[in-house]
Amino acid sequence: MILSKLSTRLLNASASLVFNSQNKSVVREHVRWIQFTYYTDKNNDVTGKTEKMNMYQAINNGLRIAMAKDPDAVIFGEDVAFGGVFRCTLDLQKEFGKDRVFNTPLCEQGIAGFGIGLATIGVTAIAEIQFADYIFPAFDQLVNEAAKLRYRSGGEFDCGKLTIRAPCGAVGHGGLYHSQSPEAYFAHTPGLKIVMPRGAKQAKGLLLSCIEEPDPCIMFEPKILYRTAIDEVPTAHYKIEIGKAEVVRQGDAVTLVGWGTQVHVLLEVADLVQEELGASCEVIDLVSILPWDAELVCKSATKTGRVVIAHEAPLTNGFGAEIVSTVQEQCFLHLEAPIQRVTGWDSPFPHVFEPFYLPDKWRCFAAVRNILNY
Amino acid sequence: MIEKVFLRCGKHMYSRNVLQQVQQFYNSPTTNIKIGTSINAGDPSFLGIQTSFSSELKFINKECYDSLPLFRILDSSKHVRLPEDFKLDEQTFIRMYRKMITLNIMDKILYESQRQGRISFYMTNTGEEYREAGVLLWRGHSIRDFMNQCYGNHKDTSKGRQMPVHYGSKKLNFVTISSPLTTQLPQAVGTAYAFKRSRKGVCVVCYFGEGAASEGDAHAAFNFAATLECPIVFVCRNNGYAISTPSLEQFKGDGIAARGPAYGIYTIRVDGNDILAMYYATRAARELCIMEGKPVLIEAMSYRIGHHSTSDDSTAYRSINEIDQWKHHTPIIRYRDYLESVGLWCEQREQELNKCVKNSVLLAFAKAEKELKPCWKELFTDIYHTMPKHIRKQMCSMEDHVTEFHKYYPLHLFKQT
């Protein structure tokens, strides 16, 4: 966990004054490769008062609302009591008490199992796995137990009130075990619901949905967005429906599908394609990995005839493969070119090679250009 | 550089919190040490460890301690002394015996039925008549319900989805069994935590074998239960074997019980073949864990007389002599001796009970066998709270297929809707 602390510190670094002063460019180049530009959510689909928040603040705000709404709800995990290594649970223990916001021993299978037990008796259990890279010790509890409890008991028991939050994705310097995107492993598990927000507003809405959803949910939170994603976030309670994708930009030449941080990369690619090639891209944020919105993706693919899917996780058996297969089955007669996947390579997530590993805007741009010329 | 960039709120908050906790520790009534007073002199002052210095270079192993003793009540003498503070009435004594016999007879019939290919799988409880199916039986789960589950017919509450002997009952607070070993332990701890917060006077009991205790989840559960102070009674059935693996290859310490105190858990080792010892130990454990809001561990020493399951022939890895030796010390035999010695049981009552139980098991058995399986569409329900589109689509596609190819599927065994 020493590395965990390290990355937190480096994340803090971006917000600190040190980097905003004279040696900014020098330090950034060596510490962190910024591979995307954040596109603020300008949609006004939620009414009411808003406040400027970054993603960790939006999550903190969502957790506070959930805890106030349900007096039985509990939050637990490693280091959540003092506010969490990413500050998502800041001040919650002070506000709701030590029996509702507490540290557990350092043991992921224990955290997941403990959460299932709470949810089995009807308690809202909000568990944190410190990094998605460390969710694998809990794989058995999540895949064999949480996902199957309702089914195997004929509906007599369930753990629908379980929500797991886990920071995921590239962060510039996370190396093998602070960068992974394990959504595809879990997407192969009937019984789980999996979501990934692309920003502050989505994070809060999806979190509240996960907490209130009557099925066990995992929310993977792209950790690079905790501080960089700043939106006008509604301060009241609101939800974003699980299982629904969102068209974040309309277009007619190519459909670009991504989730989490990658949506911002794709938005930049859309700008680039418009500028350089004069073609318009439709950008879709998949939002939910399981169940996923095949209908919306296929509708867009039918319209554009060309599809590029991009994700940070490795190519082989990544969730992109599932989308490709479905789109090719349902939109066969409308496809003008083979569907392209731009993803992380089939290697572990490397440290110094991160700029060459990620499906950045240039790799995505090249893929779009190629299928436009197909 | 890291110190430089970490100077703002994060570091502050962190160190303030740690400082606060550390101060709480040092100010707690059990330690009289003040921060900074004794790093190398007097008593050691490490966080979470209360110890003393020693100049002797000595490694500790299990030989340094006596093995945990075995609590028993039904010894070989005729002078059985029951704990004075809880009296059991005659009815309870007899009910306990009846349930053990019922389980034993049910085991024999279901075991044979698997051998005849009438159910797919079975696991007996022979030699451990206090174990999980016995718990359900004691709580009033009917013989019919057991049979329905083993047949996976439409009366099975879990809709025929699980293998036989994976019982569950919401009504009787018996969480549905699953095959992955030990996963239920940390889950039980979570439920116990919820009980601690919501309902006074309730605890969780969680059963597992000595083989399962080797899983990581056991470690997780013991440690979580202790640190989060959860009212839970862990009952380990140490029956000597995990399938073919003797416990000699499972652990090198003093069994499972010795691990309890290492986690800070109240622990007792009990003669599992002594139903009264198990009863009194469990009863005391329950009171202790509810009163103190802390976990208790019971290691029940026993012997698995039957095969691991119907897919196992245990004579491949242990001698018949060994099994025979234990056949004279079963919980049923020892308890029956006791009941006879106090005049609560006799051969005639034994025969009547045997006949009566056998009849009702056979009756329930025949009935369960004749029931239809649930509608095949139940394959697709309860995966989620409400059926998502993609699963509905798959169900519809299977329906079209079954309609077209109906003669190749055993539809006559299944309900139509």
Side-chain angles (χ1 to χ4, degrees), chain B residues 70-200:
Chain B
L70 193 63
F71 171 63
R72 75 168 179 182
I73 290 175
L74 298 176
D75 56 19
S76 42
S77 76
K78 291 281 175 191
H79 308 287
V80 171
R81 242 190 278 150
L82 299 179
E84 305 228 323
D85 34 353
F86 311 117
K87 287 282 180 229
L88 276 175
D89 54 41
E90 285 184 9
Q91 258 185 326
T92 313
F93 274 128
I94 290 174
R95 187 161 172 258
M96 280 160 96
Y97 188 69
R98 293 180 75 96
K99 294 292 178 184
M100 290 163 84
I101 292 291
T102 305
L103 183 61
N104 194 257
I105 291 173
M106 200 169 80
D107 270 352
K108 280 181 188 148
I109 292 173
L110 285 173
Y111 182 82
E112 285 310 318
S113 76
Q114 194 282 336
R115 286 299 180 233
Q116 295 164 14
R118 296 162 86 168
I119 60 173
S120 61
F121 178 80
Y122 195 69
M123 287 175 114
T124 64
N125 304 274
T126 320
E128 301 168 80
E129 276 81 3
Y130 54 88
R131 67 189 266 189
E132 293 87 336
V135 171
L136 263 178
L137 205 57
W138 175 257
R139 292 185 188 177
H141 204 59
S142 71
I143 296 171
R144 274 191 320 277
D145 292 334
F146 285 106
M147 302 291 155
N148 291 337
Q149 200 282 328
C150 289
Y151 271 103
N153 65 31
H154 72 100
K155 290 188 167 163
D156 169 22
T157 50
S158 61
K159 304 182 186 171
R161 290 174 182 140
Q162 289 217 88
M163 284 171 78
V165 303
H166 290 58
Y167 308 118
S169 170
K170 180 97 178 170
K171 194 176 68 196
L172 301 174
N173 295 320
F174 190 98
V175 179
T176 307
I177 294 170
S178 73
S179 307
L181 287 180
T182 330
T183 47
Q184 80 277 22
L185 265 72
Q187 295 170 13
V189 176
T191 302
Y193 187 84
F195 282 165
K196 186 175 78 166
R197 289 200 65 238
S198 67
R199 293 157 56 181
K200 289 214 163 63

Side-chain angles (χ1 to χ4, degrees), chain A residues 43-341:
Chain A
N43 233 337
N44 276 329
D45 48 354
V46 185
T47 51
K49 204 175 138 251
T50 63
E51 223 173 80
K52 208 166 221 165
M53 293 182 208
N54 64 24
M55 197 171 87
Y56 89 66
Q57 290 164 331
I59 289 168
N60 184 265
N61 180 265
L63 289 171
R64 182 172 283 110
I65 289 173
M67 292 291 277
K69 194 176 166 193
D70 177 356
D72 282 339
V74 292
I75 296 174
F76 53 93
E78 295 158 13
D79 303 303
V80 300
F82 88 108
V85 297
F86 289 109
R87 324 309 295 140
C88 292
T89 51
L90 200 64
D91 292 332
L92 295 179
Q93 189 183 65
K94 216 183 290 166
E95 217 168 303
F96 298 103
K98 286 184 176 167
D99 63 328
R100 293 188 63 198
V101 181
F102 51 92
N103 289 339
T104 63
L106 206 164
C107 179
E108 285 75 14
Q109 63 202 92
I111 293 171
F114 183 82
I116 294 169
L118 282 162
T120 302
I121 195 86
V123 170
T124 299
I126 309 166
E128 179 179 302
I129 300 292
Q130 201 162 68
F131 284 82
D133 311 67
Y134 306 128
I135 202 167
F136 301 113
F139 201 68
D140 183 39
Q141 284 286 352
L142 294 172
V143 170
N144 272 333
E145 295 292 321
K148 298 174 175 54
L149 180 53
R150 187 193 301 279
Y151 189 75
R152 72 160 186 255
S153 67
E156 284 223 316
F157 295 95
D158 70 81
C159 59
K161 292 201 156 188
L162 173 68
T163 298
I164 306 267
R165 300 176 37 243
C168 76
V171 70
H173 52 268
L176 279 78
Y177 306 112
H178 296 77
S179 311
Q180 293 181 65
S181 298
E183 67 271 15
Y185 289 104
F186 293 95
H188 198 56
T189 309
L192 293 178
K193 289 189 172 172
I194 303 155
V195 299
M196 199 191 287
R198 71 166 188 279
K201 195 172 131 186
Q202 287 73 26
K204 180 179 165 185
L206 283 171
L207 175 66
L208 288 169
S209 286
C210 286
I211 292 171
E212 290 169 27
E213 196 79 351
D215 292 305
C217 296
I218 306 175
M219 180 158 97
F220 289 115
E221 302 165 359
K223 65 182 88 64
I224 192 138
L225 299 177
Y226 278 136
R227 284 162 191 275
T228 46
I230 299 168
D231 281 324
E232 282 294 333
V233 178
T235 51
H237 178 281
Y238 67 97
K239 296 210 281 190
I240 292 175
E241 197 183 336
I242 297 172
K244 284 266 176 282
E246 185 188 341
V247 176
V248 279
R249 183 170 307 173
Q250 305 266 359
D252 56 24
V254 188
T255 298
L256 309 180
V257 185
W259 49 93
T261 318
Q262 197 64 25
V263 175
H264 303 287
V265 177
L266 294 177
L267 281 165
E268 209 176 340
V269 170
D271 283 344
L272 213 57
V273 169
Q274 188 70 57
E275 230 169 80
E276 304 282 326
L277 310 171
S280 81
C281 296
E282 181 144 298
V283 179
I284 294 178
D285 177 358
L286 197 66
V287 183
S288 281
I289 311 298
L290 186 68
W292 68 284
D293 195 347
E295 210 171 304
L296 187 118
V297 173
C298 289
K299 198 175 138 202
S300 176
T302 303
K303 180 174 76 175
T304 61
R306 290 180 166 84
V307 180
V308 174
I309 298 151
H311 55 68
E312 288 183 8
L315 177 78
T316 301
N317 259 325
F319 197 67
E322 181 60 36
I323 303 175
V324 172
S325 156
T326 304
V327 172
Q328 117 21 76
E329 192 184 331
Q330 293 187 21
C331 313
F332 189 67
L333 294 176
H334 301 276
L335 291 176
E336 307 282 349
I339 304 167
Q340 297 297 302
R341 284 182 288 161

